[in-house]
Amino acid sequence: RPDAPTGSLAMAASYQSVAPLEREGSRTAKRRSRSWSGAMEEEATGGGRVRRVALSVAYGLVAAAMCAPVMMSFASIIFGDPFFGAELPSLVNLVLVSSAVHQLCYVSSSTLPFAVGQVQDAGLIFLSSMARTVVLESGESAASTTAACLWVLAAATATLGAMLVVVGRLRLASLAQYLPVPVVGGYLAYIGFYCGQAGLAMMSGVELVRLRDWRGLWTADAARRTAPGFAVAAAILCATSRVRGMTARAMVVPGVLALAVACFYATCWLTGTTLEEARAAGWVGSSHSGAGLPWRLYVPAAPGEALRLAVRALPKVAPTWLGMVVVVAFSSSLDVAAIEMELGRPLDYDAELRTVGLGNLCSGCLGGFSGSYIFSQTILNMRSRAADRLSGLVVVAAELALALVAPVPPTAVVPTCAFGGTLIMIAIDLQAEWLWHARRRFSASEFLVDLFTFAAIQALGLETGFAAGLVAAAFAFAVSHGPSDAVFKCRPSPVTRSVVLRACDQRAFLSSAVAAKRLVVLELRGFVFFGAAAQLLAKLRTHLRLDQVDEEDDELGPPAFAVLDCVDFAGSDATAARACFKPLARQLAEVGTHLLFAGLEADVAANLRGHGVDVSRKFPTLDAALERAEDALLSRRESARETTPGGGPPTSIRDILLTLLDRDPAVAAALDAAPLDAYFAPRRLARHDVLFDAGSTGDTLFFLADGLVDFTLAAPPGRRILRVTTGGVVGELAFFLRRPQRFTATCAQPSTVFALRRREADAMRADHPHLALLLHTALLNTLCLQVEDSLGSACLDHLAPATAHHH
């Protein structure tokens, strides 16, 4: 959940089964990235090298202790069919070896030296389904069936890896983001259910294949056998929720499991029960004599039988394999996104997907199983600022030693309640995340799709249920959003300036800032669904020049402010929020661009916020957002000018007129010689004081020396149409046209004005015509700037439809 830190290892071992870590902000992430690199450089010489090696080994052992129990539990899911019970110790060792192969590939090819990759839960159910299909197809001996099953799973994993490498080479990683998040959520909830079912079957000894088989758990013996596992799961969950710090949290699972093993053997000692008696009673796994030689399972006595069985099974597992390709590609992309967010610098999704593909290709070619990044352990290593490729090699060595060197298989000495409890904990986390907490960040229709996908997989099977979820997602979108919403548009907004009337030099500066793309305004219309997320992200990146962040010339880079006009934006589904707006906001923060939302509806803002998008800078109108961006740009400019003579804001009528006349030295001399005080009367006004009302006689011209003045309509009352800032002119139209005022002018804050009444203006023309000419020239300048701004907006309005059509 975006509002909660990473939970238990269950969520940690899953790519997005865990809610994303709570974001600390782009500056923190950048400091973390730089501090990690700096720490590595600092310790690369002298005595720091020994310390770094020691820390790398230590974090490698932590990662191995964290991953190994989960890998053993995953083996019982892949080979959950009772047929594999006798060979489960050997199969557990194969999963450990496969995890070591994945980790070795990440050590050698990942761009992240601290990456951890293992057999992962995203493909478990697909592998389990394939294994069960082979068993059901079998009519051969047990050895041939086991070998055929391993061959099929290895081929599926290798071809999966090849597909991921091709997708990465063709730079098509973004295609994985077309998969709707609610459908994936329903699948992950089913993974949780499957993990829980496997854990209960392991502990109780009851075969659980269908829901009706659960009746076998309603016995006193089954309750007695499963109770310790529930206690282990509860201990892990409680400890995880109370422990602070990622390193300490990472040690919860191995620590609780070590305590469970200690309690088990203490109980055996107190009751006088031998290990063989406990094994016979089902409290400990089998100590199969051939468990230390897992490779024998690939070479049956009758290889021809195994080959024929594998050939018969391959067409039947093809749909399952296709689903595994899609889900693993999607999960790996989200893994990379989560790591990128925490790292604080952009990652190449396609390159990382190729690394995942290489791991699966090598694992499959060596007879292993599918895997990907382990998000939580990778982040833990990154935060340590010590873990590197040596840590990954330690994980490889530990897993190989556990699988091939240990005198007995781990399942022969570790009680089943430890593994079963780990699976129960995974089940609770995944199902709570996607069947309960998801309601807060999904819309009602998306949450129904989530629940429907979970139920459909239960009722129809994995592949059919997953496909039904995709159909349901498309149907839900069609029902929830009309044809007008379905047509989504993203284009430059014709409105690029607020209605605030500023001093001439400020308006000129803001016009140049808009022209130089320092302030970019984009208009969003319609509804963004999962099928349009990747395209929208590409458009937004192009408009905001995010592909030019490495250019040496800042003028060619991203803008200082990006304003999204969301007045006609109907919203987005969960997939688009995660795959488009979240990475966009993160990358803008990384390059120093402030993202502002204008006119964002409350429900749309809540949806984006629920998926980790920072919408704190949202404004009720586009004008309010533009005003804030302009104020910030001008504030930066004024800060730079404060050290130069005459660089501050105007404080007198002379300064105002001089600014309107481009600070010409000859004009300055003329103004110094003119009796300005005889014509311009200063006034100090409080907030909410009225300069003039709509309909009043326009016989006074005001120059604003300090403060803000808002123009409002009489109907509807209170609607602001213009704001004048320091250095601006108020009331000039009615004054020169000799018409009544059309608007009401009210001070938005304490203000100082210089008033020129009509009779003083007439006296100025008679007594000081040169001063009157300067005044008229200054007013002509400000009016020309207003016309220029209006023409610029009109041109953009004319060009915007063509731009939108082009996109």
Side-chain angles (χ1 to χ4, degrees):
R1 300 183 297 282
D3 58 343
T6 303
S8 63
L9 179 62
M11 303 168 79
S14 172
Y15 63 98
Q16 82 275 35
S17 50
V18 228
L21 287 177
E22 186 175 281
R23 217 174 142 185
E24 298 178 12
S26 64
R27 292 184 180 178
T28 304
K30 288 181 179 179
R31 286 197 301 267
R32 185 184 304 130
S33 178
R34 288 194 298 264
S35 63
W36 185 88
S37 302
M40 296 298 290
E41 292 174 2
E42 180 181 347
E43 294 183 352
T45 59
R49 185 174 302 150
V50 175
R51 179 175 177 272
R52 183 171 64 85
V53 169
L55 286 174
S56 297
V57 172
Y59 274 93
L61 293 175
V62 169
M66 186 177 177
C67 295
V70 181
M71 296 306 107
M72 298 176 195
S73 300
F74 284 174
S76 67
I77 296 176
I78 299 173
F79 303 102
D81 194 285
F83 171 83
F84 299 105
E87 297 292 353
L88 190 58
S90 294
L91 296 171
V92 166
N93 287 345
L94 289 179
V95 173
L96 287 171
V97 173
S98 178
S99 295
V101 172
H102 279 286
Q103 182 61 50
L104 189 59
C105 291
Y106 285 80
V107 169
S108 62
S109 63
S110 176
T111 60
L112 305 172
F114 44 77
V116 176
Q118 301 280 289
V119 172
Q120 199 209 41
D121 59 356
L124 289 183
I125 310 303
F126 294 101
L127 294 176
S128 178
S129 177
M130 294 180 194
R132 193 177 297 276
T133 299
V134 175
V135 171
L136 293 176
E137 189 71 17
S138 172
E140 285 77 8
S141 63
S144 296
T145 301
T146 301
C149 179
L150 291 175
W151 294 353
V152 169
L153 297 186
T157 300
T159 51
L160 163 68
M163 284 292 294
L164 295 181
V165 171
V166 171
V167 170
R169 287 288 183 188
L170 297 178
R171 309 197 70 80
L172 299 175
S174 61
L175 293 179
Q177 298 175 353
Y178 284 92
L179 201 61
V181 170
V183 177
V184 178
Y187 165 72
L188 289 172
Y190 180 73
I191 286 182
F193 171 82
Y194 204 88
C195 288
Q197 181 173 266
L200 292 173
M202 177 190 299
M203 293 184 291
S204 66
V206 177
E207 181 178 352
L208 301 176
V209 179
R210 300 174 180 84
L211 288 177
R212 62 173 177 264
D213 297 334
W214 284 57
R215 292 176 297 182
L217 297 175
W218 298 102
T219 63
D221 182 65
R224 178 175 59 87
R225 290 174 176 273
T226 56
F230 280 102
V232 170
I236 294 175
L237 292 172
C238 290
T240 302
S241 64
R242 294 177 180 273
V243 170
R244 295 292 179 264
M246 197 166 184
T247 303
R249 191 179 293 120
M251 296 307 298
V252 166
V253 172
V256 171
L257 295 185
L259 181 61
V261 172
C263 290
F264 169 76
Y265 281 102
T267 302
C268 289
W269 179 75
L270 291 174
T271 59
T273 304
T274 65
L275 184 58
E276 290 301 325
E277 291 172 340
R279 184 175 290 115
W283 292 104
V284 182
S286 169
S287 59
H288 195 282
S289 59
L293 303 172
W295 314 118
R296 62 185 175 79
L297 299 179
Y298 292 97
V299 187
E305 282 184 358
L307 181 60
R308 287 191 295 271
L309 174 58
V311 171
R312 289 201 311 272
L314 282 176
K316 295 185 177 182
V317 303
T320 308
W321 173 83
L322 184 60
M324 182 171 70
V325 171
V326 174
V327 170
V328 172
F330 183 83
S331 73
S332 299
S333 295
L334 289 185
D335 279 338
V336 175
I339 295 169
E340 178 184 62
M341 180 182 70
E342 189 70 15
L343 183 60
R345 61 177 173 85
L347 294 176
D348 187 339
Y349 280 56
D350 295 286
E352 298 304 329
L353 191 62
R354 291 196 296 271
T355 298
V356 175
L358 177 64
N360 284 279
L361 180 61
C362 294
S363 176
C365 290
L366 294 176
F369 315 102
S370 66
S372 184
Y373 282 101
I374 301 299
F375 163 72
S376 66
Q377 193 58 49
T378 299
I379 296 304
L380 173 64
N381 285 355
M382 186 205 75
R383 288 186 174 182
S384 72
R385 303 197 301 270
D388 55 9
R389 299 192 192 277
L390 178 59
S391 301
L393 292 175
V394 171
V395 174
V396 173
E399 289 178 333
L400 290 178
L402 196 60
L404 304 177
V405 180
V408 293
T411 54
V413 293
V414 178
T416 55
C417 67
F419 298 117
T422 303
L423 292 174
I424 295 295
M425 175 266 297
I426 292 175
I428 293 173
D429 259 345
L430 286 177
Q431 294 199 298
E433 178 67 24
W434 292 103
L435 297 183
W436 179 248
H437 296 302
R439 78 191 192 284
R440 297 175 179 169
R441 60 179 184 271
F442 285 164
S443 66
S445 59
E446 289 174 328
F447 188 54
L448 287 176
V449 170
D450 180 22
L451 299 178
F452 173 80
T453 304
F454 173 73
I457 294 176
Q458 291 276 12
L460 305 176
L462 182 58
E463 302 84 1
T464 307
F466 197 87
L470 294 175
V471 174
F475 178 76
F477 171 76
V479 171
S480 302
H481 305 281
S484 59
D485 287 343
V487 180
F488 181 80
K489 295 181 180 179
C490 170
R491 66 179 189 179
S493 173
V495 180
T496 58
R497 293 282 302 279
S498 72
V499 298
V500 177
L501 188 61
R502 304 179 186 274
C504 289
D505 61 332
Q506 293 179 342
R507 278 183 278 173
F509 169 75
L510 292 175
S511 296
S512 64
V514 171
K517 301 292 186 180
R518 302 305 298 154
L519 171 61
V520 174
V521 188
L522 299 176
E523 186 180 80
L524 305 183
R525 291 176 177 266
F527 185 88
V528 187
F529 72 112
F530 57 88
Q535 293 180 352
L536 174 59
L537 180 60
K539 289 181 181 180
L540 290 170
R541 286 174 54 87
T542 300
H543 285 308
L544 299 173
R545 300 188 294 188
L546 289 176
D547 295 326
Q548 303 179 36
V549 295
D550 294 328
E551 296 285 347
E552 294 182 359
D553 189 354
D554 291 339
E555 296 299 322
L556 299 178
F561 291 88
V563 180
L564 298 184
D565 181 5
C566 303
V567 173
D568 296 318
F569 179 43
S572 70
D573 62 11
T575 308
R578 283 175 175 248
C580 175
F581 292 100
K582 186 175 181 178
L584 174 70
R586 183 202 66 246
Q587 188 168 3
L588 287 175
E590 290 169 357
V591 298
T593 299
H594 297 279
L595 178 61
L596 283 63
F597 293 90
L600 198 62
E601 295 290 341
D603 57 337
V604 179
N607 176 51
L608 294 177
R609 189 184 302 110
H611 291 284
V613 181
D614 181 9
V615 293
S616 59
R617 295 189 186 95
K618 65 184 182 73
F619 301 86
T621 64
L622 175 60
D623 186 66
L626 288 173
E627 182 181 349
R628 178 65 62 86
E630 290 172 356
D631 288 344
L633 286 171
L634 290 171
S635 177
R636 296 181 183 181
R637 172 175 174 262
E638 294 302 327
S639 297
R641 293 177 58 187
E642 282 179 357
T643 57
T644 63
T651 57
S652 66
I653 186 61
R654 174 193 177 278
D655 292 337
I656 295 175
L657 294 176
L658 188 59
T659 300
L660 293 176
L661 294 167
D662 296 329
R663 296 186 177 274
D664 188 332
V667 171
L671 292 176
D672 290 337
L676 297 176
D677 294 340
Y679 303 111
F680 297 91
R683 293 185 191 175
R684 186 63 184 170
L685 303 169
R687 186 184 181 192
H688 301 311
D689 281 355
V690 177
L691 283 177
F692 51 78
D693 289 308
S696 62
T697 303
D699 59 356
T700 305
L701 186 62
F702 300 95
F703 294 82
L704 188 58
D706 179 44
L708 296 173
V709 175
D710 286 343
F711 281 53
T712 56
L713 291 172
R719 179 187 173 190
R720 191 188 82 180
I721 62 167
L722 185 68
R723 168 167 284 183
V724 181
T725 64
T726 299
V729 184
V730 179
E732 70 274 20
L733 294 180
F735 183 83
F736 285 105
L737 296 177
R738 299 178 181 271
R739 294 176 180 174
Q741 299 287 355
R742 297 181 58 190
F743 313 105
T744 297
T746 307
C747 293
Q749 66 183 41
S751 304
T752 301
V753 299
F754 290 92
L756 175 67
R757 292 181 299 179
R758 189 175 303 281
R759 63 171 177 266
E760 278 78 15
D762 293 339
M764 182 192 302
R765 281 195 295 272
D767 300 336
H768 295 87
H770 182 64
L771 179 59
L773 179 61
L774 291 178
L775 174 64
H776 288 183
T777 304
L779 294 173
L780 183 61
N781 284 348
T782 187
L783 289 173
C784 287
L785 282 174
Q786 291 182 49
V787 172
E788 182 185 46
D789 291 343
S790 300
L791 289 176
S793 296
C795 290
L796 282 176
D797 197 14
H798 175 72
L799 293 174
T803 305
H805 177 72
H806 173 73
H807 287 298

